[in-house]
Amino acid sequence: MKITFGWLFFFVPFLFISSCVSGPIRLKGYSLAEPVKMQCKMNNTWGPGPICRESGKEMNFLFGVDTFQVCGWIIDSAFNLQHISDLIERRDDWRCRISMAPGANFFLPFNIPVWGMVEKDHVHVDNHLNFVFHAHEGIIIGVAAYPVRDNFQLGAEGSIITIHGPVKWFERATFRSYSSSAFME
């Protein structure tokens, strides 16, 4: 008696597909201008993103609102200076994430790249950083951060590096503005 398993190639995918279509997971999306917080990994632990000197709070974004971000990064210790040096020289990366929807335990990963030059007792950091988000119906589906050549700011222990740049929101996987797309439908 010969046993064939060809039927498995049809049956197993059927089980997988039927379990997936039993009901889509519905997330409650962000509301327009609702704060979107990020978490970043430091010492293998997820915690708040960069703390901005201006507010004393972590850097965050307003959902769907194109704006201009300004955040002073305080270099208050030799540890922080070394962290920025490691980021510049790519010995480390600043791994961050944001929740796709409020309260959802499903995160979109991104890195905060730091571009510059390391000297013996200080660094020079490009202070322009763009943030780009893609969203649909209140759900964030993509995020990226990247530096753009602007000014290199000197940073040393006891100083502040002021990062600035636009925050842009786009509809789905396009480059159509998210905030104006709500008025076009």
Side-chain angles (χ1 to χ4, degrees), residues 42-43 49-51 72-88 91-92 94 114 118 121-123 125 155-161:
M42 184 75 100
N43 299 325
I51 304 299
W73 295 349
I74 301 171
I75 304 175
D76 59 358
S77 66
F79 175 81
N80 283 350
L81 180 60
Q82 185 60 52
H83 176 64
I84 290 175
S85 296
D86 289 344
L87 294 170
I88 291 170
R91 289 189 299 264
D92 196 3
W94 211 341
V114 179
V118 177
D121 60 352
H122 65 280
V123 294
V125 177
E157 190 173 341
S159 69
I160 297 168
I161 297 173

Side-chain angles (χ1 to χ4, degrees), residues 61-118:
F61 309 94
L62 298 177
F63 181 84
V65 178
D66 292 346
T67 188
F68 194 80
Q69 180 78 261
V70 176
C71 181
W73 295 349
I74 301 171
I75 304 175
D76 59 358
S77 66
F79 175 81
N80 283 350
L81 180 60
Q82 185 60 52
H83 176 64
I84 290 175
S85 296
D86 289 344
L87 294 170
I88 291 170
E89 293 187 338
R90 304 294 183 257
R91 289 189 299 264
D92 196 3
D93 61 347
W94 211 341
R95 293 174 299 259
C96 299
R97 65 186 187 177
I98 57 167
S99 181
M100 288 182 73
N105 196 23
F106 194 70
F107 297 92
L108 286 158
F110 70 101
N111 289 336
I112 297 178
V114 179
W115 178 28
M117 185 173 67
V118 177

